[in-house]
Amino acid sequence: MTRQFRLRGPPAAVAVCAAAATAPLLTGCGNADEPRVTAAAPSAPGTATAPPRRTTRDQAERKALIQATEIPWDKAAGTAVAGVRDGRLTEIELRWARPTVASPGAGPRTPEWGTAVAAPDGTLHTVRVDAVSGQVTESRVDPGQDQDDKRELTARLAAATVTPRQAADTATGRTKGTVTALQPDDAVWSVDVVTTGDWNKTTYDVDARTGKVVRRHVDRD
């Protein structure tokens, strides 16, 4: 139904307002006692506001972990490798530190870099690096390693002409973000990169010999 508005006042006032309707701006029309009505500008078509994007539990966890971290992966890796004579980095991952005996309760969580470093004879060392202070919190030789395991690891590292740093640079060259994990997987380096803003995780498999990306997967959960 169309609502009609009736102007009060003498005919002369109506004529003046009608004549001024083509002007860019109307001022002083109508009775001084009449309330003014300002028409709202129509919304542009197709400009509806999109609903806010929902953050998943995994995305929120990645966000909290990265925002709590002060030490980047490469600095933590350098610290870990320095503790093993002629060692080579084989794995690194950003995670929450395990509760200690001194603070077993549910206190503030601390991020850490869990790393694996191989000695020249293939002996694997687990080294944990605090992701805030950059200090080593644990360094130990992995138990249960036999000679076959050591020889296999040594051969795999010898065949990998692409370094972890080069694999990470390849991944971040494709997707700008934070490296949160890097590990060997058969003949590739698997690199996780988390992008800020959406907190998605993109995994790149980089050939350990050629340096080419052989697989890319985006985790939007």
Side-chain angles (χ1 to χ4, degrees):
M1 179 177 66
T2 303
R3 182 176 295 177
Q4 296 183 349
F5 294 92
R6 309 181 76 185
L7 294 176
R8 294 180 295 171
V14 176
V16 171
C17 288
T22 57
L25 181 65
L26 278 177
T27 58
C29 291
N31 236 337
D33 297 334
E34 264 190 42
R36 294 188 179 185
V37 179
T38 302
S43 300
T47 58
T49 303
R53 186 175 180 273
R54 186 177 69 87
T55 301
T56 68
R57 179 179 300 179
D58 288 346
Q59 289 168 342
E61 190 75 358
R62 295 181 198 123
K63 179 180 179 179
L65 188 57
I66 290 174
Q67 290 184 338
T69 297
E70 299 290 342
I71 306 300
W73 81 272
D74 51 349
K75 187 174 181 179
T79 299
V81 170
V84 178
R85 185 179 179 85
D86 296 326
R88 292 184 63 179
L89 180 73
T90 64
E91 183 175 346
I92 188 167
E93 180 183 9
L94 182 62
R95 62 198 182 195
W96 294 113
R98 297 172 298 180
T100 63
V101 176
S103 59
R109 295 184 295 178
T110 303
E112 72 172 12
W113 290 102
T115 77
V117 181
D121 66 349
T123 301
L124 205 57
H125 297 248
T126 292
V127 184
R128 297 166 60 191
V129 179
D130 189 294
V132 176
S133 68
Q135 300 297 313
V136 174
T137 58
E138 181 185 16
S139 181
R140 59 180 174 82
V141 175
D142 284 8
Q145 293 177 272
D146 57 28
Q147 291 303 317
D148 288 340
D149 293 335
K150 295 179 182 181
R151 280 193 293 268
E152 181 182 350
L153 179 58
T154 301
R156 179 183 296 180
L157 292 175
T161 57
V162 175
T163 66
R165 158 71 76 177
Q166 290 170 333
D169 288 347
T170 297
T172 54
R174 299 287 188 93
T175 299
K176 301 299 181 184
T178 301
V179 173
T180 59
L182 193 154
Q183 60 186 358
D185 186 4
D186 292 332
V188 302
W189 288 109
S190 181
V191 186
D192 291 345
V193 180
V194 174
T195 48
T196 57
D198 56 17
W199 305 105
N200 291 333
K201 180 180 71 175
T202 304
T203 301
Y204 286 95
D205 286 347
V206 180
D207 192 293
R209 295 185 178 183
T210 66
K212 295 182 179 180
V213 174
V214 296
R215 178 179 174 271
R216 173 181 178 270
H217 173 72
V218 181
D219 184 356
R220 294 184 173 88
D221 293 335

Coordinates of all heavy atoms in Angstrom, one line a residue, residues 98-105:
R98 N 54.5 -30.3 27.3 CA 53.8 -31.1 28.2 C 53.9 -30.5 29.6 O 54.9 -29.9 29.9 CB 54.5 -32.5 28.2 CG 54.4 -33.3 26.9 CD 55.2 -34.5 26.9 NE 56.6 -34.2 27.1 CZ 57.6 -35.1 27.1 NH1 57.3 -36.4 27.0 NH2 58.9 -34.8 27.3
P99 N 52.9 -30.8 30.5 CA 53.0 -30.3 31.9 C 54.2 -30.9 32.6 O 54.6 -32.1 32.3 CB 51.7 -30.8 32.5 CG 50.8 -31.0 31.4 CD 51.7 -31.4 30.2
T100 N 54.9 -30.1 33.4 CA 56.1 -30.6 34.1 C 55.7 -31.1 35.5 O 54.6 -30.9 35.9 CB 57.1 -29.5 34.2 OG1 56.5 -28.4 35.0 CG2 57.5 -28.9 32.9
V101 N 56.6 -31.8 36.1 CA 56.4 -32.2 37.5 C 56.1 -31.1 38.4 O 55.3 -31.1 39.4 CB 57.6 -33.1 38.0 CG1 57.3 -33.5 39.4 CG2 57.7 -34.3 37.1
A102 N 56.8 -30.0 38.2 CA 56.7 -28.8 39.0 C 55.3 -28.1 38.9 O 54.8 -27.5 39.8 CB 57.8 -27.8 38.7
S103 N 54.8 -28.2 37.7 CA 53.4 -27.6 37.4 C 52.5 -28.5 36.7 O 52.3 -28.4 35.5 CB 53.6 -26.3 36.6 OG 54.3 -26.5 35.4
P104 N 52.1 -29.6 37.4 CA 51.2 -30.6 36.7 C 49.8 -30.1 36.4 O 49.1 -30.7 35.7 CB 51.2 -31.7 37.7 CG 51.4 -31.1 39.0 CD 52.3 -29.9 38.8
G105 N 49.4 -29.0 37.1 CA 48.0 -28.5 36.9 C 47.8 -27.9 35.6 O 48.7 -27.8 34.7

